[in-house]
Amino acid sequence: MESLLQAYHHLAVVFLMMTGFYIMVAYDNLVKKLIGLNLVQVSVFIFFILMGKVGGGSAPILAPGIEAYANPLPHVLILTAIVVGIAATALGLALAIRISRACGSLDDRLIAHLERDED
Amino acid sequence: MSATAADALLAQLPILLVVAPLLGAALCLLVRDARLAWGLAVAVSAAALVFSATLFARTGGGLVLEYAVGGWQPPWGIAYKVAPVNALLALVLGAVFLAGVVYAGRSFRRELRGRRLQPVYSALLICQSGFFGVAMTDDLFNIFVFLEMASIAGYALVASARTPRALTAAYRYLLMGSTGAALFLLGIGYLYLVTGTLNLSDMAPRLQPALGSPAVVAALGFIGAGLLLKAALFPLHLWLPNAYGYAPSAIAAVLAGTSTKVALYILIRLLFGVFDAASFAAALPDVMMVLAPAAIVAGSGLAIFQRQVKRMMAYSSVAQIGYIALGVALVTQAGLTAGLVHLFNHAIIKVSLFMALGCVVYRAGDCRLSDLAGLSSRMPWTAAAIVAGAVSLVGLPLTSGFVSKWYLVSAVLEANLWLPAFVILAGSLMSAAYGWRLVEAAYFRGGESAGGAGGVSGAGGGSGEGGQSPVGGEGGAAAEDNGGGNGKSAEAPPVMLLTTWALIALNFFVGVNPSWLTSACRGIAATLLG
């Protein structure tokens, strides 16, 4: 129990990720699925950002009198990962617009139903 | 050129493989003429194949090339490191991309008619750059970034067909692919947390004392799940059939030969190079050992019942990924060798098959089984290419598929596993079943229309088969093309046939003379297993 409390911030990550997965699975709207995917991605980003935190550490700038620094590398990695996430989201939204024009709907179940009839 | 200058150039090849396609991608967007963009893409891809073949030849002698990006020394900077395993993947990528880009010229002009093609070539080159980056780099986070670069370009390429089915297929591919990437990234996070490094060569020794800790178990689980999703190992294959089935033919061909293979390559690198596959990480090969036979049976079984032939080939890919995964999951030298050999062979076989189907689409507008009817008289070279591919999938002697299956079955029997050996043979029989459906459609069906067209193929090709979809579906362009080629059979353009047959020639070359490939793969397996 104590270790769980120590890792409370990791519980937040897990909660966010599970929320994201739930939205991706439970909702039929394609845009909502994309939002769920974003939550999953953001939970991983937060995991990385938490990792860089050093107890009592200051910002990673050399200055007299400061001994402990936060680790900047995970933060920098996540900047890149955010860009990757944005690219995927932008492409997804662009596809969603085209799908709604082509199929007249964004409802995953309805589209799957139409496609099954086509097969 | 002096020897030192050649060596200096050789040292730059790893980064050139990534940078050249990337520059090409930018230039493609600036070019006004689509043919010029195609020429640019062909030039870049040809250079990339020369580079990767050089790397393959040079690393074969045991040379390991290292390149510190930006002059920052590893383990702090990003390091590229080319060992034989990297060079083998680069060679597969180089061959598939060059063939795919050359082939795409005519294929796109038909399938993506009336559209700006520059962005499509650009995305194709970005995809190429990303996959080459994965092959070259020795940095785990760099692998993630390159993989995503290639994947996102891949989603866009699938969607470039712009049909409703292609759009939804690309959307689902995006959702599942990005989920896999997020899981992979989470696993990378755990590895970084434990070792404090992202450099793969640096990571392995640092991870040794921590193997078995919960964080490393979590890393293994997340990386395994993420990469198996990207590699489309059954039952995580759901994105694949529609993505390959409804993408433009040239794109389906290129992706079938590269995307899943690259994910499997990363898995092999991490499993054997970082985690200790034989002891600590044995759980993941155990899972794959169960999933791989299931993939072979389910993929082949579902392929038999497909009427859209590109989707049939996509399901066949699900089965073939099972063969590769089965070899890897054995965690023996023979097994890993077989997996790597089949990784190469399946890329060649499946790309040539998708290209042959693209030739059918070029004339018929679609490739359902009914579109193959009478193909042997209308398009004899295409029909023969399909037969050559189908025979390789079954694994008849003299084809590269035979080499793969020979190595795989002997590796499985060496490990005293009779059930997987039985599954491999059953899978071959099932691939013979769907292969036969293609042969039957191409050679023995459509007898009535073939009879009409049989006498004078030119006249028959123009009008006698108008009753079928080819001309009707294609409109003016096709009619004009057929008119131009009057007096000949209604074959696909020579460029498309030549690239298809070039890969088939490579396929038979490996089938007759496999030693260069198998000895390279055996060396890689020995290195990976330490």
Side-chain angles (χ1 to χ4, degrees), chain B residues 170-220:
Chain B
Y171 200 86
R172 295 200 178 109
Y173 184 15
L174 184 146
L175 287 178
M176 293 192 205
S178 297
T179 307
L183 294 175
F184 180 41
L185 183 60
L186 190 57
I188 294 174
Y190 277 109
L191 282 182
Y192 178 70
L193 201 59
V194 173
T195 62
T197 183
L198 290 165
N199 185 296
L200 287 176
S201 309
D202 192 31
M203 184 179 281
R206 285 166 182 254
L207 200 65
Q208 277 304 322
L211 284 179
S213 80
V216 184
V217 175
L220 179 70

Side-chain angles (χ1 to χ4, degrees), chain B residues 92-295:
Chain B
V92 173
L93 293 173
V96 170
F97 269 102
L98 178 61
V101 170
V102 170
Y103 175 92
R106 288 307 293 273
S107 182
F108 279 168
R109 251 193 282 161
R110 175 60 53 88
E111 287 183 40
L112 308 178
R113 209 175 311 120
R115 296 247 309 277
R116 244 175 75 85
L117 292 178
Q118 289 88 328
V120 188
Y121 289 121
S122 183
L124 204 50
L125 287 179
I126 292 175
C127 185
Q128 185 176 4
S129 170
F131 282 144
F132 273 126
V134 174
M136 293 295 110
T137 190
D138 198 36
D139 183 281
L140 193 49
F141 189 76
N142 215 217
I143 287 183
F144 164 78
V145 174
F146 277 131
L147 184 66
E148 278 316 276
M149 191 169 124
S151 298
I152 292 173
Y155 311 144
L157 286 169
V158 169
S160 68
R162 288 210 197 165
T163 59
R165 295 300 298 258
L167 291 172
T168 52
Y171 200 86
R172 295 200 178 109
Y173 184 15
L174 184 146
L175 287 178
M176 293 192 205
S178 297
T179 307
L183 294 175
F184 180 41
L185 183 60
L186 190 57
I188 294 174
Y190 277 109
L191 282 182
Y192 178 70
L193 201 59
V194 173
T195 62
T197 183
L198 290 165
N199 185 296
L200 287 176
S201 309
D202 192 31
M203 184 179 281
R206 285 166 182 254
L207 200 65
Q208 277 304 322
L211 284 179
S213 80
V216 184
V217 175
L220 179 70
F222 284 121
I223 288 177
L227 288 178
L228 289 182
L229 186 55
K230 288 244 173 206
L233 183 64
F234 179 86
L236 303 173
H237 68 286
L238 293 171
W239 57 267
L240 187 144
N242 281 353
Y244 291 4
Y246 297 106
S249 306
I251 300 302
V254 167
L255 289 183
T258 54
S259 64
T260 51
K261 311 289 175 297
V262 168
L264 283 168
Y265 154 85
I266 302 173
L267 195 66
I268 291 171
R269 282 284 317 263
L270 294 182
L271 207 51
F272 296 96
V274 176
F275 298 109
D276 190 357
S279 58
F280 159 69
L284 189 55
D286 284 351
V287 171
M288 287 164 71
M289 201 69 214
V290 176
L291 295 183

